[in-house]
Amino acid sequence: MNLDSALKMLDYWVELGWLRALDHAFAEFVCTISAENNDAPTGQLAVLAAMVSHQVGRGHVCLDLSHLCADAEATLVMPPEGAAKLAEAPDSLWRPADLFQNTTADQLIESIRNSNAVSDGSHSTPLVLEGTRLYLRRFWRYEQAIAAGIRLRFSPGARENDQQLSRALDALFGKKGEVDYQKVACALAARNRFSVITGGPGTGKTTTVLNLLAALQSMASQSPNADPEDPYLRIRLSAPTGKAAARLSESIGGALSKVPLNSLPGAPDASAIPTEVTTLHRLLGSRPGSRQFRYNEDNPLPLDILVIDEASMVDVDLMASVFSALPETARLIMLGDKDQLASVDAGAVLGELCQRANDGHYRPETLDWLKTVTGYQLPDELADTEGQPLDQAVGMLRKSYRFDEHSGIGVLAMATNEGRFDKHLIKQCQSQDFPDVAWLGRSALMSDPAESPSVPDALIPLARHARSGSARAFANAGEGRVVNGEAVAAPVGYGHYLRIMSEQRPEATDSEADRPKWDFWAANVLSAFSQFQVLCALRKGPFGVDGLNRQVAAELRASGLIDKTEGWYAGRPVLVTGNDYNLGLMNGDIGVTLSVPWDRDEQGDPVQTLRVAFPSSDGSGTIRWISPSRLQSLETVYAMTVHKSQGSEFTHACLVITDRLTPVLTRELIYTGITRARHWLSLAVPQEAVLREAVGRSVVRASGLARLLS
């Protein structure tokens, strides 16, 4: 294919919605650069350049040419969901499968290897070829920087500290008969200046990192080199989003009092463990309108330890910026669930770092060291004489303290991860074998299940479920449940927060001077709203965010719980969709619109006005009241995508599966949606076959990070 034909084909794909205009523009840019440097750009180069850009837009760091040749349409997901179908074309080269089905990766490599737009990274070119992976240069540099930052921190600490560490861990965890993987993860993290602690919901990641920080501060205060005036390490806690930061801050604030600091050597002061959590962008000193941060390799962060929670949400761009800003001597600790969805933007850093975590792969010397420090002999299946350096820095928490053997949420999460959401498990859900799971299948969503699915009919009972929570749909919801000795309230829907908004509202005569009353009320409304959330796989379509937001709002209005469904109204929940540094709001923050009598008419009498109440991002529990006119990037949030829900937990979550298979419906998405539910889970499944097939599909993002660290 010559260059003109290739560019014409790419332009046609843009018209169909298969490619972004940006992808086409990048292909033209690469060809222009090539021509300006006395090269003759080929159609093959143009197509591959567009495909690399396309893959980055889909979250991949690079384009793997071997995967492209093996199955082009699956690799590129072309045509994408919702795009126009292929019309009659002048030749057979209009589909990716036709372009690459008779081509090998070696042939593609040979066709671009000598182009002056492609290099191995040793000199500046728009594309970098490494093995079978083709990168945009910027993303190749990100990956190299992350790998270099991790390798720099692999060296184990001094062995003379082993006894101190062992004493500290025994004081924190005691000496139990069975292996305590929290204690093991703490030991591994203390051994290296880079570490990962991964585990599912309820496995105690926050507890583990608090104990780790306490042990490190204990050891620091006992060091002969410690400053008598200030013997402690400088620690900063961070998360990718404001909501994740607030949640970690709240968790740490509640858990710190349980850490036995007085029993540790040196009895470190509680002030040595920070409770304030900030977003990574704020920590690095983001500059609006710029990719650059205030803290970088020339101006490193003033810290000794950095903890990043919800690390699965961090993309390669931001992670590279973190390593750039870290002092060489600083310790980095990453926390997260390796099985969750990866970041919205390019990369799946945590997932790639943890891809061997299930099997441990600990070397004999690591196992011997762990036995010395923790007293535990790890199972033989976690041993590997050929274990990689990265394996020795990854600790996996293997016991859930939230979900027991009776928990349907725990069973479904495990089954999803293992790709076995089979008919037997679905039957258990339908028979209400799990007290914490409600199955809203076809019979529950359709007025006549014998008929073919009717989407409008299906949304009506789903919206009613969102309003009430439908406690009757759960096996023992009316009786309540006890989890880890704590009574769990019955499941609720959105009617719960709206009733609290109405019933607990202060007297209209209370003015802004009575601010604590209004703050207390708003905090109760926000807390009630956070107890329930509808989660969707898609944004568009009837079973997506847009369709369900409209249907739920209509149901709430019909029930007299809200006054209208469009524009601003009391009770409208909103999700911030872009960072606003002037207002101190971050992407993912949620607020509720409330009516307050803080304005005055000409006679000085109170006038009702709308304000949006947001919880503070520092976990302090204070409320920020913001005028709707000042809010720019937001949307109504009766329903949100599973991606947007990451970093959040809800007492009761309703996960809505689409009525047809789509590329985004994967094992990781369903697992993430299920595990957003803390105590109650509703599963809305119009088509069982779609759920079963989706669980069998796992997303693997193209990247070379793991290879760089092997």
Side-chain angles (χ1 to χ4, degrees), residues 437-455:
V437 175
W439 180 269
L440 307 179
R442 184 172 172 177
S443 60
L445 296 175
M446 307 306 303
S447 56
D448 183 358
E451 297 179 358
S452 59
S454 169
V455 169

Side-chain angles (χ1 to χ4, degrees), residues 23 38 92 103 109 116 131 168 176 191 194 202-203 259 280 325 346 355 375 423 426 485 503 513 703:
D23 305 327
N38 301 317
S92 62
T103 306
I109 291 170
N116 57 25
K176 301 177 183 177
R191 191 184 189 213
F194 171 79
T203 52
V259 179
L280 280 171
Q355 62 185 5
K423 290 183 178 180
I426 290 175
E503 295 169 2
S703 169

Side-chain angles (χ1 to χ4, degrees), residues 96-247:
D98 298 322
L99 283 175
F100 302 108
Q101 66 179 353
N102 296 318
T103 306
T104 66
D106 288 340
Q107 289 172 328
L108 287 181
I109 291 170
E110 193 61 34
S111 72
I112 62 172
R113 185 189 301 278
N114 296 322
S115 169
N116 57 25
V118 182
S119 73
D120 60 0
S122 59
H123 56 281
S124 183
T125 53
L127 295 170
V128 173
L129 179 64
E130 187 172 88
T132 61
R133 292 175 296 278
L134 189 61
Y135 293 82
L136 301 184
R137 180 173 182 81
R138 178 161 61 92
F139 287 88
W140 177 81
R141 291 179 62 189
Y142 291 155
E143 202 168 80
Q144 296 289 318
I146 294 169
I150 292 174
R151 286 195 300 265
L152 177 69
R153 293 169 171 82
F154 270 158
S155 300
R159 293 302 298 267
E160 60 266 22
N161 294 329
D162 288 355
Q163 288 188 345
Q164 282 186 318
L165 176 60
S166 182
R167 285 196 297 269
L169 294 177
D170 285 345
L172 292 164
F173 295 97
K175 298 180 179 180
K176 301 177 183 177
E178 61 180 14
V179 176
D180 185 339
Y181 285 100
Q182 291 188 3
K183 187 175 183 180
V184 170
C186 275
L188 290 169
R191 191 184 189 213
N192 288 282
R193 286 185 294 122
F194 171 79
S195 60
V196 178
I197 299 174
T198 186
T203 52
K205 294 185 289 294
T206 301
T207 300
T208 302
V209 78
L210 270 180
N211 284 324
L212 169 62
L213 297 178
L216 293 174
Q217 292 293 41
S218 171
M219 295 167 63
S221 67
Q222 298 297 293
S223 170
N225 300 321
D227 182 348
E229 299 297 322
D230 185 12
Y232 299 120
L233 300 166
R234 298 168 298 171
I235 301 173
R236 295 297 303 271
L237 308 177
S238 66
T241 66
K243 190 157 187 73
R247 182 169 155 236

